Amino acid sequence: MRGSKDSVSVGRRSALRLAGLGGLATAGALGMPATASAAPADGLGIPPYAPTGRRPRYRRATWSQQFQSGHGWTAGGAGTASSAEDTGVFTRGDRSIRVTTAGSGVQSYVRKTGMGALDLTGKMIRLIFRVADVTHLSRIAFYLGTGGLANSFSWRVHTHSATGTNYVQSGEWVTVHLEWADVTSASGTYTLSAQGQPSVRSGFTDMSFAVYDDAGAAVTYHLQAIELVPDTTSVFPQGVVSLTFDDSHTSVHDLARPVMDPHGMPGTVYNIADAIGTGSFLNIAKMRSLQDSSGWEMAGHSYANAVHTASYPKLTAQQVDDDFRKLREWLVGNGFTSEHFAYPHGAFQKTTDGVPVDLLAARHFSTARSIISETIESFAPAMPYRLKALTGINDGSGVGGTTLAKVIGAGGALDRCARSGDWLILCLHRIVEGTPTQSTELSRAGLAQLTAEIEKRGITVLTVQEAMAYYA
């Protein structure tokens, strides 16, 4: 492992101590931050139920630009102040390309045009990059096309939030997979169908990685690799959907299960152990019935209800690790062997004492799901401890969230999943009999409509555990 020479890196033994028996490998690149603050608090010890270490198989690139000496790409754009090869900060080879924006809010890019024609049929794009400080980052985009990008498709790689959890965080090497389902727009002779399908998937000669600051100050970014890797359209030509349910609501058993059972569709429930058997939450008997009779997965969401309410970034590393440990012990002790987890409120930023929550999650679980949905998840996941999911799906009126129509309508999430070979993870919460009054509610009729639309498109439904095991 290599990182910044001007910062304190985390040693191999520290990394293994942090991740327990499972290690820290990701499916795309080293997900380890390059700063000393990534080091765990001492004394956490080895978890009693460490993950098995079954990580997704690494998908080898069929075409790769790693930005080593003589790469031939150009850094430019009116929003670029400076650029250079950086032999001090990298995660592959012995260098990366470093670019600093002008602080003007105008596009800065790393680009190459006039390459030999590339065929992206059955392929997805892998990006490996780093933003030194995201404070003034606005967004990142990627363009693919011909004619000096006069004809192009564009992807939204990342839009930065000042308040929410961000997939891209300061000083971290990040891996992003871009699939055909994620294309946001087309220009020139290129078009997208009503179902979101691109007019062409081959013959591309131009690529551009573009960064925009917020016009408040400059942003420095490093680009390490742009690669093409196989997608899974040959295995799942209509893609895969995982129906996940957060917070252990008993309506999952009483209302969702009767809708999904006739379709043979299992779900993944992310459970709050402290809530089980109380109020309107599942009890152990219902959890076991879902698991043993319908093939559902009983995964983890938090041990303590109070911790779930607070969210992990508001706690110390020791408090977070204790909650993870108790949760795994509770799940295993009650016969629920899932090694998968969902962050309360989707939050995996650093703890109050500076330890990234996703690195603590790696000590106890094989994946951790967020509620980030800038791009759809992929096989294999780019970063298994930041699984992406579309949340807030409801069929209410004026309650916010994501309307069911945007998921099942023409060009929506299901259409884009079908025939794209990707993994669409949907995050649901409570199922209700009548009209939803909150963004976290979906009616029973709405769920019936959702499952019918999934079946109509021939999309495979897998639990998170099944999806990950398939490619482990």
Side-chain angles (χ1 to χ4, degrees), residues 414-437:
L414 291 186
D415 272 350
R416 286 174 171 264
C417 177
R419 298 177 302 281
S420 294
D422 62 355
W423 182 18
L424 175 61
I425 304 176
L426 300 179
C427 172
L428 307 172
H429 292 78
R430 184 185 292 107
I431 306 301
V432 297
E433 286 283 13
T435 302
T437 59

Side-chain angles (χ1 to χ4, degrees), residues 300-317:
H301 200 28
S302 73
Y303 176 80
N305 208 358
V307 168
H308 172 269
T309 300
S311 80
Y312 287 134
K314 296 181 181 179
L315 307 175
T316 66

Side-chain angles (χ1 to χ4, degrees), residues 44-64:
L44 293 181
I46 296 176
Y49 295 104
T52 59
R54 291 175 179 166
R55 300 293 189 267
R57 290 197 298 266
Y58 187 79
R59 302 185 81 75
R60 303 293 179 184
T62 60
W63 177 91
S64 180

